[in-house]
Amino acid sequence: MQPETDFSPNPMQGFRRRFSALLRKETHQMLRDPSNLLVGLLLPLVLILLFGYGLSFDVEHAPVAVVMEDTSPTAQNVLSGLQGSPYLAPLQTGDMQTATRLFNRGEVVVRVPSDFSAQLAAGQAKVQLIVNGLDTNTANTLQSYVGGAIGNSTQIQADRSGSPNTGGGVSVMQRMWFNEAGNSTWY
């Protein structure tokens, strides 16, 4: 004797029947309690507006304190990339003490050593970048922006002089204060 099976000839017919029953039940439940309608429709709309327009994780016009210990035109040309970036707002400072005060207020510090031009002529110049690491995401973003701006201006200078940029040039020595490991949970 074969077991009785209740298969309909069309499997979509069973799905449609179950789906319409579920849809009727949920519609009845939503209309019975208006707070469900509020949560179901208004909350997603508020979240879309909040995350779409209210919250922005972009870093724009970040203050950067630039300490120019080498005031040669070569050093000025290399750091000209900071001026043209919409993400950075460089401010020339006279000494490291002033830059440290600005750093304590949240600015990034770029320090050009006094022998920068000689190092650049030798093909291995270094620029120091000091970033506050308490907000890890912003610190990493700023490190990328400053490194990219300096690398861009170095490449432009190499193109103008006609010499190939073979990986020498300017390296950015990055240092993150207060959170050297970049641990985001500290934020």
Side-chain angles (χ1 to χ4, degrees):
M1 188 152 179
Q2 290 185 343
E4 238 179 83
T5 57
D6 189 340
F7 289 116
S8 60
N10 185 358
M12 286 301 290
Q13 185 179 7
F15 169 75
R16 285 188 197 119
R17 190 174 36 142
R18 288 189 304 272
F19 182 73
S20 65
L22 182 64
L23 186 62
R24 275 193 314 271
K25 178 189 92 72
E26 290 298 326
T27 304
H28 178 66
Q29 178 67 23
M30 193 179 307
L31 295 176
R32 187 174 65 88
D33 187 6
S35 67
N36 285 341
L37 187 63
L38 186 71
V39 169
L41 297 177
L42 187 63
L43 185 62
L45 182 65
V46 168
L47 290 175
I48 287 171
L49 292 175
L50 179 70
F51 286 115
Y53 298 105
L55 297 176
S56 175
F57 298 108
D58 296 337
V59 177
E60 294 177 345
H61 306 293
V64 177
V66 179
V67 180
M68 294 293 293
E69 294 175 359
D70 182 358
T71 57
S72 68
T74 306
Q76 296 288 337
N77 286 339
V78 168
L79 290 180
S80 65
L82 297 176
Q83 297 289 339
S85 173
Y87 306 111
L88 304 171
L91 171 70
Q92 296 279 341
T93 60
D95 57 0
M96 201 57 190
Q97 288 83 12
T98 306
T100 303
R101 280 196 310 276
L102 294 172
F103 175 78
N104 290 334
R105 289 191 326 197
E107 293 194 21
V108 175
V109 175
V110 175
R111 183 179 159 265
V112 179
S114 58
D115 60 343
F116 179 79
S117 297
Q119 288 179 3
L120 188 61
Q124 295 181 342
K126 294 179 180 149
V127 173
Q128 184 180 20
L129 171 65
I130 305 169
V131 182
N132 189 333
L134 290 180
D135 181 0
T136 309
N137 294 331
T138 303
N140 288 331
T141 302
L142 287 174
Q143 283 180 342
S144 298
Y145 287 165
V146 170
I150 291 173
N152 227 5
S153 62
T154 302
Q155 184 64 45
I156 289 170
Q157 294 302 319
D159 289 346
R160 284 184 184 159
S161 68
S163 64
N165 192 355
T166 59
V170 180
S171 63
V172 179
M173 308 305 291
Q174 301 175 356
R175 174 85 193 274
M176 194 178 300
W177 283 8
F178 308 121
N179 185 6
E180 291 185 47
N183 190 350
S184 64
T185 58
W186 290 8
Y187 178 60

